[in-house]
Amino acid sequence: MRILIVEDEEALALGLKFNFEQEGYEVLLARDGHTALNLFQTAVPRIDLIILDLMLPGMSGYEICTAIRTTNKLVPVIVLSARTLVEDRMHAFDVGADQYITKPFALPELLNRVKNLLERYRTILTDAGSVSSSNDLATIEIYQFGEVRVDFHAFEVDVGEKKYSLTTLEMQLLRYFIEHEGEVLSRHRILEEVWDQSADVTTRTIDNFVLRLRKILEPDPTRPKSILSVRGTGYRFLGNKSAAGDG
Ligand code: CA
């Protein structure tokens, strides 16, 4: 597996490169956005995961992530930054980062997260490329409820005439809701099963993702009918089980 590390602190970049190589990964380094995007678009074999600093000369990490997501919604992106503000974290998720780790960080934890994200990425690619041969929900590519049509393969959601692109994490959360239709899901369970158990996110992050999904899926996001809030616990997804549908 190939990892692209975008980091302008040379000592850190070389340290990470060394450690990832010890784990058997192939590592490419870039000190700025221009080089990073160039490598990402041209590397053969392709890059499987990106570790991204935010404060870089020229383009910021946010801009780099935005540019990557215009062409690739799937490749895992881990932001590794000295910035600790919630706003930075949310901004990073907004532009499509999968995880956010603050510096200083524990190396074993970073290695773990990389391993988990790569496994998940492989699963997503396998699902997307597979023909459904079982009734396993993980292999379903299209899911429809009401006006909403979810395309797991293209990471797109059509609502009536409108088309929306989802990030990897938004899609994973939506898929999780769909797979557990009708169940009451606690924030902690969602956090454990959709995010990495070690992920540096709080249950508040889930609420922010739900707000975004509601804006896309719900005719009136202030009065949700598909992703319901369960007071004091979490959420309950009612797709085809809601109102008119009987499944
Ligand atoms: Ca930096």
Side-chain angles (χ1 to χ4, degrees):
M1 298 299 250
R2 274 192 143 184
I3 299 175
L4 171 62
I5 298 174
V6 190
E7 175 59 72
D8 61 332
E9 285 170 55
E10 194 174 7
L12 177 57
L14 292 176
L16 286 172
K17 182 174 194 282
F18 174 81
N19 281 289
F20 279 109
E21 283 173 351
Q22 293 295 301
E23 298 289 315
Y25 298 106
E26 206 184 320
V27 177
L28 303 178
L29 293 181
R31 288 158 195 250
D32 61 78
H34 184 73
T35 312
L37 292 176
N38 206 16
L39 278 174
F40 181 68
Q41 273 141 22
T42 59
V44 181
R46 60 141 212 270
I47 285 161
D48 300 297
L49 182 141
I50 299 165
I51 294 175
L52 185 59
D53 184 22
L54 287 180
M55 289 177 280
L56 293 160
M59 283 177 99
S60 72
Y62 300 123
E63 291 171 298
I64 297 169
C65 196
T66 304
I68 287 167
R69 286 293 180 237
T70 59
T71 60
N72 188 316
K73 306 226 172 281
L74 290 173
V75 65
V77 176
I78 300 179
V79 166
L80 191 57
S81 173
R83 299 187 184 207
T84 55
L85 297 177
V86 173
E87 290 75 18
D88 294 317
R89 196 177 288 264
M90 290 317 300
H91 190 183
F93 288 131
D94 277 339
V95 297
D98 295 290
Q99 296 204 357
Y100 193 104
I101 301 179
T102 50
K103 297 175 188 170
F105 57 94
L107 183 66
E109 190 189 331
L110 176 63
L111 292 172
N112 253 327
R113 293 203 198 185
V114 165
K115 187 166 155 270
N116 292 344
L117 275 176
L118 283 172
E119 272 167 21
R120 185 177 297 166
Y121 183 41
R122 265 198 299 256
T123 310
I124 290 172
L125 290 184
T126 309
D127 285 353
S130 72
V131 177
S132 177
S133 58
S134 70
N135 58 4
D136 184 355
L137 277 162
T139 60
I140 287 179
E141 291 184 12
I142 305 285
Y143 179 87
Q144 257 176 305
F145 62 100
E147 288 266 275
V148 180
R149 183 177 184 278
V150 182
D151 185 336
F152 291 110
H153 184 94
F155 277 56
E156 281 173 354
V157 174
D158 292 332
V159 184
E161 302 284 285
K162 288 189 183 160
K163 192 181 276 295
Y164 302 88
S165 282
L166 267 60
T167 66
T168 312
L169 214 41
E170 287 165 351
M171 203 51 154
Q172 279 171 200
L173 181 59
L174 180 56
R175 169 167 244 160
Y176 185 75
F177 278 135
I178 290 169
E179 285 174 0
H180 295 87
E181 188 176 352
E183 287 177 51
V184 173
L185 301 163
S186 74
R187 288 185 178 78
H188 284 286
R189 182 171 163 201
I190 296 170
L191 197 60
E192 268 188 27
E193 296 184 3
V194 179
W195 274 263
D196 263 316
Q197 297 202 15
S198 58
D200 198 7
V201 294
T202 64
T203 48
R204 178 65 61 88
T205 307
I206 296 170
D207 297 338
N208 284 310
F209 272 84
V210 167
L211 284 180
R212 294 221 293 276
L213 286 180
R214 279 178 177 160
K215 277 187 197 157
I216 293 172
L217 304 176
E218 306 277 1
D220 179 359
T222 61
R223 284 191 290 173
K225 292 198 159 51
S226 299
I227 307 177
L228 309 183
S229 295
V230 179
R231 207 166 174 184
T233 308
Y235 297 100
R236 184 167 178 232
F237 175 74
L238 297 178
N240 289 316
K241 291 189 175 156
S242 68
D246 62 2

